[in-house]
Each structure stands twice: as structure tokens, then as C-alpha cells.
């Protein structure tokens, strides 16, 4: 059985952090990175339904959305060869790799009619955390770096990200297409059945 206490503890700490930081993104990244790094340092807690790949496309499962929509937590599950379009986020985000390996390609903000320029590329392994936002670089493409395996990353964003109006970009001419990502599942993990630990405490 997966140990959801780890995810629950992370969400408690993130709720405290976004309450304390407000719009101070530097502090949010500084203090939020180690929280996410700790969450993805162990791979024993993500329930299998939220780790399931699809042969068609990558999956984005909602694990938690703050009731005030100040942040959301998702598992992204990449099958072999799967990748996103070049896209933006419009809000802060942190990505921690849980399983496998991811490739991230950063792009400059497009100039209309010009081919988009790649500004960097990195690979992230389990336990590593990367950041995105309009202030630190918001446009990228993410792909599974494994040709023959599943990769999973845990993403936290400064909004109910599945309902945010965003853009994908054509690398050839920078043309922006609006999109709203939604989520791959209608259910979220039940973080709140703490009956076993309570019963254990009664004995
Ligand atoms: Fe992204």
C-alpha cells in the first residue's frame, strides 16, 4: 500500500508556505524546492492509478488543489517517447522527478513570424527539482528521456493549473495557440483516511 502520509505532509507544508509567502516568489522557490525535493526523494507513496501511463499521450493527474486555488499538485506520467508541445504556464511552478528521467528544453519568448530560439536544455533525475515562471523562464518543452520506460514527475503550480488559460507555441513561427489543460482523472487520492494510525494509537 502506498504511504499517503508523505503527500499529506507535503501539502500541509505547502499550504503553510503559500500562506506565509503571498506573492514573494523568490522565497516560495527558496523554501518550496527542498519540500518538493523531499517529497520526490522517496518513491513509495504515489498510488498506482496516479502513476499509470497511457499509450496515446502523457497523463496529468491532479493529486491536490488548494481550496483557495493558490496551488495545485499533479503527477505527470510519461510513456516512452512522449513529450509536451512547447508551452507556457503563466504562474510559478516547480517540477520534481520521481521516477525515470526527464528532458527539459527552454525557449525564448517568441517573436511573431520568427523561428523560436532554444536557450537551454537539461536532464533531470529522481530527486531533482526545476522551476518555471514568467520571471525565471516560462516557456519550455518537457519529454521523457527514456526510450523504453515510464518517467513520472510531481508538479506544483501557483494556481489550479488545469483551469488556467495558457499557450502552446509553433517552433517554426512562434505562433501561439490558447489551451486549457484540464486533468486526466476525475478523482483525487483520499489523503484523509487516517483511521489506521488513530486506531493504532488507541491500542
Ligand atoms: Fe511545463
Amino acid at each position: 500500500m502506498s504511504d499517503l502520509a508523505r503527500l499529506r505532509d507535503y501539502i500541509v507544508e505547502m499550504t503553510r508556505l503559500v500562506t506565509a509567502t503571498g506573492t514573494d516568489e523568490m522565497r516560495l522557490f527558496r523554501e518550496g524546492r527542498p519540500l518538493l525535493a523531499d517529497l520526490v526523494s522517496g518513491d513509495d507513496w504515489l498510488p498506482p492509478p496516479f502513476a499509470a501511463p497511457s499509450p496515446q499521450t502523457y497523463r496529468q493527474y491532479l493529486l491536490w488543489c488548494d481550496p483557495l486555488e493558490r496551488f495545485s499538485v499533479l503527477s505527470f506520467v510519461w510513456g516512452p517517447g512522449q513529450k509536451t508541445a512547447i508551452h507556457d504556464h503563466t504562474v510559478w511552478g516547480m517540477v520534481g522527478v520521481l521516477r525515470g528521467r526527464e528532458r527539459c528544453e527552454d525557449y525564448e519568448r517568441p517573436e511573431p513570424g520568427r523561428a523560436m530560439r532554444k536557450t537551454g536544455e537539461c536532464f533531470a533525475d529522481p530527486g531533482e527539482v526545476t522551476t518555471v515562471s514568467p520571471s525565471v523562464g516560462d516557456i519550455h518543452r518537457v519529454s521523457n528521456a527514456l526510450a523504453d520506460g515510464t518517467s513520472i514527475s510531481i508538479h506544483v503550480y501557483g494556481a489550479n493549473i488545469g483551469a488556467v488559460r495558457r499557450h502552446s507555441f509553433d517552433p517554426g513561427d512562434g505562433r501561439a495557440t490558447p489551451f486549457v489543460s484540464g486533468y486526466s482523472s476525475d478523482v483525487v487520492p483520499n489523503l484523509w483516511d487516517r483511521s489506521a494510525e488513530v486506531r493504532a494509537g488507541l491500542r
Side-chain angles (χ1 to χ4, degrees):
M1 203 174 90
S2 56
D3 182 7
L4 282 172
R6 198 178 182 104
L7 176 60
R8 191 171 60 238
D9 290 349
Y10 171 74
I11 285 161
V12 169
E13 291 306 316
M14 273 305 295
T15 304
R16 288 197 176 112
L17 182 59
V18 298
T19 301
T21 54
T23 57
D24 184 349
E25 187 178 288
M26 290 275 282
R27 181 179 168 197
L28 187 99
F29 282 152
R30 190 171 65 244
E31 298 182 25
R33 285 179 76 114
L35 295 178
L36 183 56
D38 185 59
L39 178 68
V40 298
S41 69
D43 186 9
D44 59 351
W45 57 268
L46 184 65
F50 303 94
S54 156
Q56 279 79 40
T57 183
Y58 67 90
R59 306 290 270 168
Q60 42 197 327
Y61 299 106
L62 180 66
L63 303 179
W64 176 256
C65 183
D66 172 63
L68 301 180
E69 297 181 276
R70 296 171 299 179
F71 71 100
S72 52
V73 183
L74 295 81
S75 60
F76 271 66
V77 183
W78 317 86
Q82 292 178 349
K83 62 183 176 188
T84 67
I86 300 171
H87 64 275
D88 66 7
H89 308 84
T90 76
V91 296
W92 61 261
M94 291 180 267
V95 176
V97 176
L98 183 72
R99 202 176 296 173
R101 190 165 207 235
E102 283 185 7
R103 177 185 186 210
C104 183
E105 298 162 275
D106 298 322
Y107 285 85
E108 255 181 13
R109 189 154 280 286
E111 293 173 43
R114 300 268 296 272
M116 290 181 73
R117 205 167 70 83
K118 189 152 86 168
T119 56
E121 176 173 335
C122 70
F123 290 87
D125 292 305
E128 291 188 85
V129 174
T130 57
T131 53
V132 293
S133 86
S135 58
V136 301
D138 198 38
I139 299 178
H140 70 174
R141 182 204 296 279
V142 180
S143 49
N144 188 353
L146 302 183
D148 55 357
T150 299
S151 291
I152 299 177
S153 50
I154 305 302
H155 297 215
V156 53
Y157 297 103
N160 175 5
I161 194 69
V164 173
R165 291 176 191 280
R166 301 157 63 191
H167 305 88
S168 61
F169 300 95
D170 184 323
D173 61 9
R175 191 169 47 86
T177 303
F179 79 96
V180 178
S181 71
Y183 298 112
S184 300
S185 170
D186 292 333
V187 299
V188 292
N190 179 357
L191 296 176
W192 304 108
D193 184 0
R194 303 202 296 112
S195 57
E197 67 194 72
V198 173
R199 287 188 191 113
L202 289 177
R203 272 204 290 275

